[in-house]
Amino acid sequence: MDFQQGLITTVHDYGLGNLDPIAFRKGLSRRPTALLIPCLMEEFSRPALKLIREALSQLEGLQSLVIALAADSAEEVAAAEQFFAGMPFPVHVHWTNGPAVRELLLSVKELGLDVMGPPGKGWAVWQGLGVACQEAEVVGLFDADIRTFGPSYPERMLRPLLDPSHGVAYVKAFYSRLSLETNALQGRATRLFVGPLLSSLEQMFGTLPYLRYLQSFRYPLAGEFAFTTDLAMNLRIPSDWGLEIGLLSEVYRHVASSRIAQVDLGLFDHKHKSLGTQPSEGLQRMASEIFGTVLRGLMEHEGSIVSRDQLPTLEVLYRRVGEDRVRQFGLDSAVNGLPYDRHSEELAVQSFSGLLRSGLNKLLEAPIAHQLPSWSRLSSCSAGLQADLAEAGSADRARLLKPRPISPELLRTPAQVA
């Protein structure tokens, strides 16, 4: 915890618990706001989503909650709707891979645009934004697997956007990633890959504005963020694990740094991804795709590229900085009484360093990434596409004749689960 400011305005958590639900509700009433949660059906059987539901059930004044759901059947979508029944605001469960949605999006190919995925969080976020931005002025996004979710999360993340006098268009969350079970540090992709990578690139290229911008974010891979609708409508959406960094690149393209803020949400935990046994798995795959996204951002915003001749320098620098970070996090953990497995952290740095060569080669062979087009571009081609998408995401439930019984386990509250 500190009180320092930098390029990106930082809203700190001073540990005083100064929440103001009344002021928050007034802000929501002044500026229509939607929340978006991209979600897999499997999340409905886990405690995290039940916790999120309970916390949001106390939130009054929200215009809508959009659940961008990947499901295998209309019955599962109906179960998701029942799960969120009784909330104090409208809930729109949007079936991202439903037959009507797929048919609609396939028709967009006639416009010369490919919007069929690949399936994943990026595709779900892109569809969810299309639905949420129809009427809202502000849209906030949370993942469905947050195990520490509380009422403070939406309040702290959305309030900078609810008063237009602040001039903020984009808010990024940051937090301390600690395991609920062990208190050990999590967030290896951020701590041991992105941080050392950006530091290494800075040593190679100097203090480029884009690198300074990325390094100003306390947690650049945070999946929790919010923006004004006019900004959200103009962002291309990456469709791989580079989503969060890619969105930061898009925000950099459209918004002055003075209109960006980052908000401390305190302690935070969600599902942990394994390192993986090969580059196509787990955190290794994630890091590889993030690497490509960072380098593309350098190309797009600075006209700079890491050449094959420079690659050995980057590999050496990253390995050294990564090992230094392992030592630093080890000391941080020791003083705070947190468990720390230095060996596994060193192995993670070793695995990440092995991705740089193949990642650069892949980028140089295909420098243009697949990005889903902005909704402002799509609206210029087909003015009614957002409304058609929202209707298609709900249409297939009308075909249900006898919905399957909802599992009592699915409807239990977090308190009952505990």
Side-chain angles (χ1 to χ4, degrees):
M1 184 194 308
D2 59 40
F3 50 79
Q4 301 296 331
Q5 294 290 346
L7 177 67
I8 303 300
T9 300
T10 300
V11 179
H12 298 87
D13 180 1
Y14 293 116
L16 301 176
N18 292 340
L19 298 177
D20 191 343
I22 296 177
F24 185 36
R25 285 197 296 271
K26 289 181 179 178
L28 291 173
S29 67
R30 288 193 303 265
R31 201 162 198 192
T33 300
L35 287 182
L36 167 60
I37 300 179
C39 191
L40 300 174
M41 195 64 207
E42 63 194 50
E43 300 296 346
F44 285 82
S45 61
R46 294 174 175 153
L49 193 57
K50 296 180 176 68
L51 178 66
I52 293 172
R53 178 187 61 183
E54 182 171 284
L56 292 181
S57 69
Q58 305 169 37
L59 180 57
E60 298 178 7
L62 193 68
Q63 184 190 62
S64 66
L65 171 64
V66 177
I67 307 297
L69 176 67
D72 292 332
S73 67
E75 288 85 358
E76 288 187 343
V77 180
E81 290 178 326
Q82 181 62 36
F83 180 89
F84 283 104
M87 300 295 278
F89 41 75
V91 178
H92 182 106
V93 178
H94 177 77
W95 190 5
T96 60
N97 57 333
V101 166
R102 297 185 69 85
E103 181 180 354
L104 174 66
L105 297 184
L106 279 170
S107 72
V108 176
K109 283 192 174 182
E110 298 175 3
L111 303 174
L113 297 171
D114 180 8
V115 294
M116 285 304 296
K121 181 180 176 181
W123 198 44
V125 168
W126 176 78
Q127 289 193 47
L129 286 178
V131 174
C133 287
Q134 290 184 96
E135 299 179 359
E137 294 182 18
V138 171
V139 177
L141 187 144
F142 289 98
D143 285 332
D145 61 349
I146 303 172
R147 305 168 67 204
T148 50
F149 195 94
S152 65
Y153 283 14
E155 177 173 342
R156 290 182 59 79
M157 198 171 77
L158 292 173
R159 282 188 64 183
L161 293 163
L162 297 181
D163 185 348
S165 69
H166 296 312
V168 174
Y170 180 78
V171 173
K172 180 84 163 175
F174 71 96
Y175 30 68
S176 300
R177 282 284 311 277
L178 295 180
S179 167
L180 280 179
E181 288 77 21
T182 67
N183 287 335
L185 292 173
Q186 301 298 319
R188 287 175 293 175
T190 294
R191 292 188 296 107
L192 302 180
F193 183 69
V194 174
L197 173 66
L198 295 177
S199 178
S200 301
L201 291 171
E202 183 183 37
Q203 291 183 58
M204 292 177 61
F205 292 105
T207 310
L208 297 177
Y210 182 61
L211 288 177
R212 182 185 175 216
Y213 164 79
L214 290 181
Q215 289 179 295
S216 297
F217 289 95
R218 306 291 181 88
Y219 206 113
L221 298 187
E224 294 69 39
F225 43 85
F227 25 41
T228 57
T229 298
D230 60 338
L231 174 60
M233 287 285 291
N234 285 282
L235 301 180
R236 298 171 299 177
I237 304 298
S239 54
D240 60 10
W241 283 110
L243 171 64
E244 284 77 20
I245 288 287
L247 278 177
L248 288 182
S249 176
E250 284 291 289
V251 171
Y252 182 80
R253 178 188 182 194
H254 288 279
V255 177
S257 59
S258 60
R259 301 194 66 205
I260 303 170
Q262 57 184 337
V263 175
D264 188 356
L265 297 187
L267 294 178
F268 186 98
D269 192 24
H270 61 68
K271 282 188 306 187
H272 308 143
K273 187 176 291 293
S274 67
L275 185 63
T277 59
Q278 52 188 348
S280 61
E281 297 177 352
L283 289 181
Q284 293 189 68
R285 176 183 175 185
M286 178 188 293
S288 181
E289 294 180 0
I290 290 169
F291 179 52
T293 303
V294 170
L295 295 191
R296 284 190 186 93
L298 271 179
M299 295 164 69
E300 181 175 355
H301 302 299
E302 302 290 355
S304 299
I305 185 173
V306 175
S307 67
R308 287 190 172 96
D309 290 341
Q310 292 172 308
L311 180 61
T313 301
L314 179 59
E315 290 176 317
V316 169
L317 283 173
Y318 167 76
R319 191 67 174 263
R320 188 204 70 200
V321 177
E323 290 171 349
D324 288 345
R325 294 293 170 87
V326 169
R327 178 186 57 80
Q328 291 172 322
F329 286 119
L331 176 59
D332 192 6
S333 296
V335 173
N336 283 284
L338 308 179
Y340 191 73
D341 186 344
R342 176 169 179 170
H343 178 58
S344 68
E345 299 268 287
E346 297 274 9
L347 289 177
V349 169
Q350 179 179 321
S351 296
F352 290 149
S353 67
L355 303 171
L356 302 182
R357 187 167 295 268
S358 60
L360 179 61
N361 289 334
K362 184 178 179 180
L363 173 71
L364 295 177
E365 292 168 2
I368 305 299
H370 180 267
Q371 292 177 307
L372 295 159
S374 70
W375 278 102
S376 62
R377 179 185 178 185
L378 284 168
S379 296
S380 71
C381 300
S382 175
L385 186 58
Q386 283 179 267
D388 291 343
L389 178 65
E391 183 178 351
S394 303
D396 291 298
R397 255 90 83 228
R399 303 176 189 178
L400 289 175
L401 297 177
K402 295 182 180 180
R404 296 175 185 173
I406 308 301
S407 167
E409 176 66 24
L410 195 63
L411 302 178
R412 293 171 66 190
T413 66
Q416 290 172 325
V417 172

